[in-house]
Amino acid sequence: MNTLLAALGLAVLLFGGWGIGYLLIPGEKPISTMAVHAWLLGAIVVTITLGFFGTILSGRGLLALVAVACIIPGFAALRKIPRRGMFAFEWPRPAGWLEWTLLAVILCQCAVLLRYAWTTAIGWDGLVVWEIKARIAAYNGGSLPVDYFTDPTRSWSHPDYPLMLPLLETWIYMWMGQSSQFLVRIIYPVFYFAALLLLYSGAAEISGKRWVGLLAASLLFFVSLLATGQSNVFTGYADFPLAVLYLAAVASFIRYTRDPANSRAVLFAIYAGAMPWMKREGAILWLCFILVAGVELIGQRKIRVALLAVVPGLITIAGWKIAQFSVRAIPNHDFLPATAANVAAHLNRVGPILRAVIVELSSINDWSILWAVFPIALVLLAAKGRRTLSLQLGALVFMPLVLYASVYILSSWNPYQTHIDCSLPRLVSHLSLVALLTFAIALPDTGQ
Amino acid sequence: MVSISNTAFGFWFLTDSQPETGRIYACTRTCLGAHSIGIIDFAHFHPSDRNVNSARSHNSHRWRILQPLLAVAMVAAFVVCGLHGLKKARSHRTDGIGVLNSTDSFLLQALRVNGGAEKILSAISDLPPLQPLAIIAPKDNIFGPILLPTIGSITWPHQVYLIQAANPDVSKSLDTLRNDHFAAALVYDLAPPVPDSGNRRVGALTIVRVSK
């Protein structure tokens, strides 16, 4: 029964997300992109509605309100669909031995990973940083009580961290009427599936070849940190979902540059704006993304679109800051205040940090050869005549990487190397899906 | 740049005798049998594009052969190295298959008991929720710091403190907790306090009610 209720909660979420996606881009037909919009937009709507209205409502009232917020756009989209076109999604049918083989490989990988996900426990941070919030919110009728944010005995659970993932878990718990660390894991394979579809649709569209899309999707399995590593997709960490949002924003942005419709700009602005709602590092990703998108849009003299793209992220960052301030959330003490004196005093860390980054990027156990081939992919992409795309993708990976590495200069951990060891692989994972997409679309044309 | 469309319809030749600069308006076409006429979409023809000599075409031919080899080599290396990493799966596994609680899989290591989360919750269910709990663990025991967030993540709204005791005799600590209005002490891996019918055991954890 609980499984059915959890599935019903997910179905309502997907219906709402699909409706919003369809209303934004009515002409979008491929089932792969529609499914991704359904999941990501649904998750964004549900968590923001839960977070916002959870301050005034709780229990069944809150559940009903959020469900209505999903059902209204879903039905609005259904009404907009021409009767004959109701089920006119594009179901891509593989053509040729290569596409069939790659599809079979992906299906086998999914089967292996589903078996693996079944027996993978929620990891340490997944449990004591993210799931705890969902559990407490579910206990409290769907929203986190103010006492939690100020509870000094639970400061280890980082009360100041954003709530997208915990509230997504809360949504499942609310439908079940209880918390279950077993059933809540249903959402993580969905994020993996979303990543597969994003890689497939992004690579296929940019390269113009479907087998490149299938190849990109099949290679995800071989990035072992994401599939089976310590903080893999199934362990309940927010890093993989953040990477999926980043990839969605980047893929939507590339799509916009090829088909500049304002609704596509809204889409990448929403995905980028949701990143700081998923994890604090999302603000860094958002900043880098907005810089790259802004340069492109201003270059095209689309100042209004550029300003529009900034709005969702600003609302998210400012809204969460105001919420934290109003509940007096216990601040995080992982970093020293960013003063010139502190930076100057810890500049001697630059060498070891750089060394740690190089060691991490060259870890075959974590990344296969992803980071070794990424610069080659950028060069190959430029050689294919896609210099702008190559520069943009390079900036979208290297800028956040430099910023991520730089923050360790102000780490308050003692020794700070422990901080690097604990978090650097996960930070790098945020960029890995975009790097994988780059690798796939830059592959030399084999002429299939 | 010259872009060619509809090449499937016929054969097209761009020769060195093309105009010096600007647009190209015609080129030699060989069209056999029933093949339709292709369309060449002329764009700007940069003067540097004219230097198409045999050496370059030889290189481009070689590159065309190398391309698939490079692609296959990179993907194969990616897959082989990825498989190497996959073998070293490091995530925490649950025991067996079924309805499993992830907190249990962590508690199992410390308490050496299955279903620890449910048992702890059941043991503290009748305690006043607004009174805090204290975990008392031996000072140098590595599981002490792990128990705090593990138990703290399931026992809301109780506040949960960790006391790392240097002395195996916990009776003094219990007196202090009683005076500070704690609900219960969760004594871990230490000599059990004076037997009391109210105490409950969950593996290596003894839950001692201290609230009056």
Side-chain angles (χ1 to χ4, degrees), chain A residues 194-439:
Chain A
L196 282 183
L197 291 177
L198 276 168
L199 284 169
Y200 161 74
S201 57
E205 202 174 312
I206 297 165
S207 68
K209 294 180 180 65
R210 206 158 49 189
W211 69 265
V212 176
L214 290 166
L215 181 69
S218 66
L219 287 180
L220 175 58
F221 178 80
F222 298 102
V223 182
S224 51
L225 187 100
L226 305 179
T228 59
Q230 198 161 23
S231 54
N232 67 60
V233 54
F234 307 113
T235 52
Y237 284 56
D239 300 279
F240 190 84
L242 178 61
V244 173
L245 275 178
Y246 193 45
L247 179 64
V250 171
S252 303
F253 171 66
I254 295 172
R255 228 169 253 144
Y256 170 81
T257 59
R258 299 157 66 89
D259 173 19
N262 282 352
S263 53
R264 291 200 182 279
V266 173
L267 206 58
F268 75 66
I270 290 174
Y271 287 145
M275 292 189 296
W277 181 229
M278 179 63 81
K279 206 164 182 250
R280 289 194 315 163
E281 290 81 1
I284 292 177
L285 292 180
W286 174 80
L287 183 69
C288 297
F289 178 82
I290 286 299
L291 276 175
V292 171
V295 167
E296 171 76 20
L297 292 169
I298 291 168
Q300 294 177 5
R301 297 183 185 284
K302 291 181 175 169
I303 312 294
R304 273 184 60 184
V305 179
L307 290 174
L308 174 82
V310 178
V311 173
L314 277 185
I315 291 175
T316 315
I317 294 169
W320 180 235
K321 278 280 169 206
I322 291 168
Q324 279 177 278
F325 183 75
S326 62
V327 297
R328 293 186 170 76
I330 296 172
N332 191 293
H333 295 297
D334 285 338
F335 295 99
L336 301 165
T339 61
N342 276 340
V343 173
H346 298 98
L347 273 180
N348 58 338
R349 294 180 177 182
V350 170
I353 291 171
L354 192 63
R355 222 175 2 258
V357 171
I358 292 169
V359 167
E360 180 55 36
L361 295 183
S362 55
S363 164
I364 285 175
N365 281 344
D366 284 350
W367 306 109
S368 181
I369 55 166
L370 178 65
W371 297 110
V373 294
F374 179 68
I376 301 171
L378 291 177
V379 172
L380 286 174
L381 205 55
K384 277 181 162 185
R386 294 181 166 178
R387 194 175 296 173
T388 310
L389 181 62
S390 166
L391 283 172
Q392 286 170 342
L393 289 169
L396 286 166
V397 169
F398 287 124
M399 270 201 306
L401 187 64
V402 170
L403 288 175
Y404 279 167
S406 307
V407 295
Y408 291 116
I409 292 173
L410 292 173
S411 169
S412 61
W413 284 37
N414 188 17
Y416 69 95
Q417 283 92 344
T418 316
H419 196 180
I420 297 176
D421 293 343
C422 283
S423 55
L424 184 62
R426 288 187 282 125
L427 296 187
V428 172
S429 76
H430 303 163
L431 314 169
S432 57
L433 296 183
V434 174
L436 191 56
L437 177 74
T438 310
F439 172 57

Side-chain angles (χ1 to χ4, degrees), chain A residues 65-90:
Chain A
L65 182 86
V66 180
V68 167
C70 288
I71 289 168
I72 286 176
F75 276 110
L78 278 181
R79 281 174 66 88
K80 271 203 159 190
I81 295 177
R83 273 193 182 177
R84 285 193 171 181
M86 180 78 86
F87 298 106
F89 298 120
E90 276 178 22

Side-chain angles (χ1 to χ4, degrees), chain B:
Chain B
M1 191 180 81
V2 178
S3 61
I4 301 173
S5 58
N6 284 353
T7 51
F9 289 102
F11 302 90
W12 296 91
F13 291 88
L14 294 178
T15 69
D16 286 347
S17 60
Q18 297 303 315
E20 290 288 313
T21 54
R23 288 178 168 277
I24 303 169
Y25 291 101
C27 69
T28 311
R29 176 173 67 88
T30 305
C31 184
L32 298 174
H35 284 288
S36 306
I37 297 171
I39 300 163
I40 290 189
D41 177 15
F42 296 102
H44 294 292
F45 190 77
H46 196 271
S48 62
D49 288 348
R50 286 178 296 139
N51 302 324
V52 182
N53 53 40
S54 60
R56 188 168 164 183
S57 68
H58 181 70
N59 281 341
S60 99
H61 178 67
R62 191 183 292 169
W63 175 236
R64 224 171 288 140
I65 295 169
L66 279 174
Q67 269 191 19
L69 290 178
L70 182 61
V72 170
M74 288 208 293
V75 171
F78 199 105
V79 171
V80 170
C81 294
L83 284 173
H84 182 260
L86 284 171
K87 282 182 194 162
K88 302 195 169 182
R90 288 177 299 173
S91 62
H92 195 80
R93 310 302 295 273
T94 52
D95 288 342
I97 295 173
V99 181
L100 296 160
N101 189 324
S102 296
T103 304
D104 287 341
S105 63
F106 284 100
L107 284 176
L108 180 63
Q109 297 170 43
L111 306 185
R112 298 178 290 280
V113 68
N114 276 313
E118 201 56 47
K119 286 174 182 163
I120 291 171
L121 285 177
S122 160
I124 64 166
S125 61
D126 57 341
L127 296 175
L130 294 180
Q131 291 186 356
L133 306 172
I135 299 166
I136 306 176
K139 195 174 181 189
D140 295 323
N141 191 305
I142 55 162
F143 288 116
I146 292 172
L147 281 176
L148 175 66
T150 315
I151 293 177
S153 67
I154 55 172
T155 51
W156 176 268
H158 292 281
Q159 290 194 326
V160 184
Y161 293 85
L162 174 67
I163 298 169
Q164 293 185 293
N167 191 337
D169 181 13
V170 294
S171 51
K172 247 185 189 173
S173 300
L174 291 176
D175 287 341
T176 313
L177 294 176
R178 198 164 285 127
N179 293 334
D180 288 344
H181 304 291
F182 272 70
L186 284 64
V187 183
Y188 172 69
D189 220 14
L190 284 167
V194 182
D196 184 331
S197 58
N199 294 352
R200 296 182 189 181
R201 283 194 74 90
V202 180
L205 200 68
T206 308
I207 298 168
V208 185
R209 191 180 181 127
V210 293
S211 60
K212 291 169 184 168

Side-chain angles (χ1 to χ4, degrees), chain A residues 21-78:
Chain A
Y22 189 86
L23 292 174
L24 276 175
I25 310 176
E28 194 92 302
K29 285 277 177 83
I31 190 80
S32 53
T33 44
M34 290 304 288
V36 171
H37 295 332
W39 172 243
L40 293 181
L41 291 174
I44 292 167
V45 167
V46 161
T47 56
I48 286 188
T49 321
L50 264 182
F52 190 76
F53 289 102
T55 54
I56 48 174
L57 279 174
S58 71
R60 288 185 180 173
L62 181 62
L63 182 74
L65 182 86
V66 180
V68 167
C70 288
I71 289 168
I72 286 176
F75 276 110
L78 278 181

